[in-house]
Amino acid sequence: MRIFDPHIHMTSRTTDDYRRMYDAGVRALVEPAFWLGQPRTGPGSFHDYFDGLIGWERFRASRFGIRHHCAIALNPKEANDPRCAEVLRTLPRYLAKDGVVAVGEVGFDAMTAEEEKALVHQLSLAAEHGLPVLVHTPHRDKAAGTRRTLELVAASGIAPERVLVDHLNETTVDMVDDSGCTLGFSIYPDTKMEPDRMVRILQRRGLDRVVVNSAADWGHSDPLATARTGEAMLSAGFTEDDADRVLWRNPVEFFARSGRLLLEELAPYSGGAFAGNSILRAQHAEPDA
């Protein structure tokens, strides 16, 4: 089973997670910019974080045979903090970088005026840079937040097939389906979806325009949730080709619209320590012949 996890926060995961993910079939992923738990105090802390996503984390994933891509944005929660708003002015320099395959996560958290302003601005940036959009739907008032998000997407003029609306559940799947946007489901314990519920939605609705992710982060989450969903699909009678469509081909089709996906297979790094470090930090020198 090959897996593309289209929403996972590897900055908050360990190298052991990378090993387990590779063994489970994960070969590529997208890491969206998100709230780290500790409030940021200004644009500079965002810049350091973005630099890590497009540099260090991409390199770290490659050591374990996984292609790392990212999405860049001011996340909804921190859009309410006036200390962070200035980062909207510097986003364009990051949206032009290799490995950035979408603007995200954008959307609503508490459905404030500031969140809506940031969402509209970033939808405009996505259109300007020719990038897809990854949308976060709120944990509270999910149906209302999703409905307003779809209204703003429609008003932006962005083609719906270039918008992935994520964290859906049974209350929001139909309205997003009707919009023509790609449907994203996070298999995340307690607060989002579970593999058996996901299977029931796939049985009712079908497989097209559906992507499944783990959304694994610093909370109670599972970086192998995508693989577990694939296993649940097979147990329910779906074919291996069906699982491949949901777990690989659909997310690849969506993010390929960025023109920046890199999917050539990587071999995990099998060398030893470098200058006493467990992580390669510089190019190895070739021994003298």
Side-chain angles (χ1 to χ4, degrees):
M1 187 185 305
R2 59 178 179 169
I3 298 171
F4 187 125
D5 192 331
H7 186 148
I8 184 168
H9 300 289
M10 293 309 298
T11 297
S12 58
R13 309 303 304 193
T14 68
T15 55
D16 287 343
D17 289 327
Y18 270 127
R19 291 191 183 96
R20 295 166 59 221
M21 289 163 62
Y22 182 87
D23 290 343
V26 177
R27 294 295 180 270
L29 60 83
V30 172
E31 179 167 359
F34 82 134
W35 178 58
L36 293 178
Q38 174 67 29
R40 296 180 176 93
T41 58
S45 53
F46 277 93
H47 299 158
D48 291 339
Y49 171 58
F50 295 159
D51 287 342
L53 291 182
I54 63 178
W56 167 247
E57 205 58 50
R58 187 179 183 186
F59 171 78
R60 187 166 76 110
S62 73
R63 297 295 90 186
F64 298 92
I66 296 176
R67 291 286 187 181
H68 181 284
H69 312 84
C70 67
I72 296 291
L74 171 62
N75 68 83
K77 186 175 182 66
E78 290 179 295
N80 295 298
D81 190 334
R83 299 174 300 176
C84 301
E86 183 67 19
V87 78
L88 290 171
R89 297 183 52 165
T90 55
L91 284 180
R93 81 182 196 216
Y94 288 98
L95 297 180
K97 298 288 187 179
D98 291 343
V100 178
V101 296
V103 175
E105 356 181 359
V106 298
F108 286 113
D109 176 59
M111 294 191 66
T112 66
E114 289 305 313
E115 290 171 16
E116 182 161 319
K117 179 180 176 182
L119 172 55
V120 169
H121 181 79
Q122 291 179 103
L123 288 172
S124 176
L125 287 177
E128 179 183 342
H129 289 264
L131 289 173
V133 183
L134 175 61
V135 176
H136 165 98
T137 54
H139 303 291
R140 305 177 301 277
D141 298 322
K142 184 175 286 289
T146 302
R147 189 174 298 110
R148 182 55 180 157
T149 296
L150 295 175
E151 292 171 353
L152 295 173
V153 168
S156 75
I158 297 175
E161 62 267 20
R162 298 183 66 83
V163 180
L164 194 169
V165 184
D166 211 349
H167 308 322
L168 300 184
N169 60 23
E170 293 86 348
T171 69
T172 53
V173 58
D174 289 338
M175 71 173 81
V176 177
D177 197 5
D178 291 343
S179 76
C181 294
T182 297
L183 294 82
F185 296 88
S186 300
I187 314 303
Y188 192 107
D190 302 329
T191 62
K192 297 183 177 72
M193 291 290 292
E194 299 159 351
D196 60 335
R197 291 167 58 198
M198 188 69 242
V199 166
R200 289 196 292 271
I201 288 175
L202 293 171
Q203 289 170 329
R204 176 179 71 85
R205 191 245 164 227
L207 309 181
D208 63 297
R209 289 191 290 117
V210 172
V211 302
V212 171
N213 64 74
S214 70
D217 56 13
W218 33 251
H220 179 210
S221 51
D222 180 6
L224 303 185
T226 48
R228 301 193 202 288
T229 303
E231 293 165 359
M233 289 179 67
L234 297 178
S235 296
F238 285 100
T239 67
E240 291 185 4
D241 185 71
D242 292 335
D244 187 76
R245 181 176 182 183
V246 171
L247 298 178
W248 183 268
R249 300 199 307 271
N250 284 355
V252 165
E253 179 182 3
F254 179 79
F255 287 106
R257 294 184 174 103
S258 69
R260 296 176 182 172
L261 278 188
L262 294 174
L263 298 176
E264 296 84 357
E265 190 162 350
L266 288 171
Y269 176 67
S270 58
F274 177 71
N277 295 303
S278 61
I279 295 291
L280 179 68
R281 301 190 185 188
Q283 184 65 42
H284 278 288
E286 293 296 328
D288 293 333

